[in-house]
Amino acid sequence: MKKYNFNAGPSILPAEVIAQTAQACQEFNGIGLSLMEISHRSKDFQPVMDEAQALLKELLDVPVGYSVVFLGGGASLQFCMIPFNYLEKKAAYLNTGTWAKKALKEAKLFGEVVEVASSADKNYTFIPKDYSVPADVDYFHFTSNNTIYGTEIRKDFDLPVPVIADMSSDILSRPVDVSKYAVIYGGAQKNLSMAGLTFVIIKDDTLGKVSRAIPTMLDYRTHIDKGSMFNTPPVVPIYSALMNLRWVKAQGGVKEMERRALERAAILYDEIDRNKLFRGTVETEDRSVMNICFVMNDEYKDLEADFMAFATARGMVGIKGHRSVGGFRASCYNAMSREGVEALVACMKEFEAQH
Ligand SMILES: *Cc1c(COP(=O)(O)O)cnc(C)c1O
């Protein structure tokens, strides 16, 4: 049976990206060795690093004066690296969910943190809009896509302070005006590559402004200066990122990724709104096009386990909602086909017809 992978992360990748990465692990570049057993400084691997950085810059139209680095440690390590490198006195954070809150918690270890707004009192079902960012903060941090709750900020902020964004789960799903950011970062395992890799896009001249000493490995300048080769980088995830970046480019780039994301989301949200059994969990205007959350309507609540079994039997994988929301979550990253979403919608219709 064909499986449709709606996992939230690690998540779906194009079949050819998986095949190419598997091949490189068997034998890389026809050199008679695996990618896993050669030096990251070899003449065979260096071009992989160079092209991956260049292609991420090209696809996101990253202006001059910015660097792309590939690190380990996940987005979670960035929650502390950001304040380590940027927080001198005070920072502003927008609290839109679990990941935003975790980032905010780490920042408090380094200085004063202003929570400019929060949607916690409504279980993060909306994006706060009525707030202001103090002019004297070192930076403003937000999470563009709330993977767990299914809300998304699909715009770039115009602010007089440096803007820093966690784009773990919507990077490469739409064009972004990178010039409006000091830093964009994320774990690769949602929409860029396999697990084990973190990308950070940094405006070079925003660094070096804090007075504290920064441990070498946690200082962005170390990794920029050494081209992400200060220590051994995660070579296989970087290779799979490169294969995926080439795939995105061949498909038509981030504009085409956005067109497909909007199309998939429209198909699924239309069905959620139409189907008598289901309802969406977040404010319509703040709906994520990446992580689509829905629950059974109250009068059909006891059908939840039945629908899960019904959909699973038809090849749907990973649609169980996060425990803090319940119900269902269909994560529709770049590699999810329209056909996959249509298969899920067909399940919803068929199940409705039976009840
Ligand atoms: C998954 C996720 C994280 C955590 O990423 P790790 O790489 O596991 O640390 C952080 N932020 C967002 C928005 C995420 O979706």
Side-chain angles (χ1 to χ4, degrees), residues 295-327:
V295 293
M296 306 296 316
N297 266 321
D298 292 342
E299 55 275 43
Y300 299 102
K301 262 270 164 289
D302 25 321
L303 292 176
E304 191 173 302
D306 289 353
F307 179 69
M308 184 60 79
F310 184 88
T312 304
R314 283 157 184 77
M316 306 303 134
V317 177
I319 62 165
K320 190 171 172 52
H322 189 275
R323 62 188 177 280
S324 41
V325 177

Side-chain angles (χ1 to χ4, degrees), residues 73-77 79 99 143 145-147 166 168-169 187-190:
S76 299
L77 182 59
F79 295 165
W99 298 117
T143 311
N145 183 62
N146 298 285
T147 322
D166 174 358
S168 292
S169 52
Q189 69 275 18
K190 313 286 170 41

Side-chain angles (χ1 to χ4, degrees), residues 53-355:
Q53 290 173 345
L55 211 42
L56 187 57
K57 281 187 174 176
E58 180 187 326
L59 288 167
L60 290 176
D61 211 0
V62 176
V64 281
Y66 284 76
S67 299
V68 167
V69 294
F70 291 128
L71 309 172
S76 299
L77 182 59
Q78 297 309 306
F79 295 165
C80 96
M81 274 180 81
I82 293 291
F84 226 132
N85 284 265
Y86 285 97
L87 208 174
E88 181 72 12
K89 284 205 173 70
K90 187 156 89 169
Y93 277 70
L94 179 62
N95 181 4
T96 54
T98 306
W99 298 117
K101 202 170 138 190
K102 286 188 172 170
L104 188 155
K105 175 174 175 262
E106 296 304 299
K108 283 184 175 166
L109 298 169
F110 297 86
E112 184 186 343
V113 176
V114 184
E115 183 185 88
V116 292
S118 167
S119 46
D121 60 339
K122 289 199 170 144
N123 201 32
Y124 298 116
T125 50
F126 71 104
I127 300 288
K129 298 184 187 71
D130 207 13
Y131 60 89
S132 58
V133 176
D136 61 343
V137 293
D138 298 316
Y139 63 87
F140 168 67
H141 178 282
F142 76 102
T143 311
S144 57
N145 183 62
N146 298 285
T147 322
I148 291 176
Y149 295 92
T151 59
E152 188 174 13
I153 300 170
R154 304 187 71 257
K155 62 158 199 176
D156 306 309
F157 289 96
D158 268 307
L159 290 172
V161 300
V163 176
I164 297 181
D166 174 358
M167 294 199 185
S168 292
S169 52
D170 63 353
I171 192 72
L172 295 169
S173 69
R174 65 186 155 90
V176 171
D177 183 350
V178 177
S179 72
K180 294 193 167 147
Y181 296 83
V183 183
I184 295 171
Y185 69 89
Q189 69 275 18
K190 313 286 170 41
N191 213 12
L192 175 60
S193 185
M194 56 189 279
L197 180 66
T198 313
F199 66 90
V200 193
I201 303 167
I202 308 162
K203 189 174 190 208
D204 300 325
D205 68 8
T206 59
L207 289 169
K209 302 201 169 152
V210 288
S211 51
R212 75 174 59 82
I214 307 173
T216 311
M217 269 298 282
L218 300 183
D219 189 333
Y220 289 121
R221 290 169 299 186
T222 304
H223 302 287
I224 292 173
D225 292 349
K226 297 289 181 197
S228 301
M229 295 270 201
F230 171 73
N231 70 326
T232 317
V235 292
V236 177
I238 290 170
Y239 186 82
S240 86
L242 173 58
M243 295 303 108
N244 193 38
L245 289 162
R246 283 186 186 165
W247 179 85
V248 171
K249 183 173 175 178
Q251 301 297 307
V254 290
K255 274 219 173 73
E256 173 62 13
M257 293 299 114
E258 180 178 47
R259 188 196 67 74
R260 293 182 191 180
L262 292 171
E263 180 183 67
R264 286 188 304 259
I267 292 169
L268 188 46
Y269 282 123
D270 280 354
E271 177 60 16
I272 291 166
D273 292 341
R274 186 210 60 76
N275 193 310
K276 70 172 195 276
L277 304 181
F278 303 100
R279 67 177 163 82
T281 56
V282 304
E283 288 295 324
T284 310
E285 64 176 8
D286 298 324
R287 283 172 162 179
S288 168
V289 300
M290 295 278 99
N291 309 98
I292 298 177
C293 296
F294 55 104
V295 293
M296 306 296 316
N297 266 321
D298 292 342
E299 55 275 43
Y300 299 102
K301 262 270 164 289
D302 25 321
L303 292 176
E304 191 173 302
D306 289 353
F307 179 69
M308 184 60 79
F310 184 88
T312 304
R314 283 157 184 77
M316 306 303 134
V317 177
I319 62 165
K320 190 171 172 52
H322 189 275
R323 62 188 177 280
S324 41
V325 177
F328 310 96
R329 170 176 54 175
S331 296
C332 301
Y333 298 117
N334 283 348
M336 173 53 64
S337 62
R338 176 184 167 142
E339 179 211 336
V341 171
E342 284 169 346
L344 176 56
V345 165
C347 282
M348 294 163 77
K349 285 189 198 298
E350 215 186 306
F351 193 72
E352 181 190 33
Q354 294 181 5
H355 295 89

Side-chain angles (χ1 to χ4, degrees), residues 15-57:
E16 61 197 82
V17 170
I18 294 169
Q20 288 160 336
T21 306
Q23 169 58 46
C25 289
Q26 288 289 342
E27 191 197 349
F28 178 55
N29 264 1
I31 59 172
L33 294 171
S34 164
L35 172 61
M36 294 185 285
E37 54 181 2
I38 60 164
S39 168
H40 56 293
R41 301 188 194 281
S42 64
K43 67 172 182 1
D44 291 295
F45 185 73
Q46 186 66 52
V48 172
M49 176 66 96
D50 294 345
E51 189 186 341
Q53 290 173 345
L55 211 42
L56 187 57
K57 281 187 174 176

Side-chain angles (χ1 to χ4, degrees), residues 5-19:
N5 182 1
F6 292 98
N7 279 323
S11 37
I12 187 169
L13 284 167
E16 61 197 82
V17 170
I18 294 169

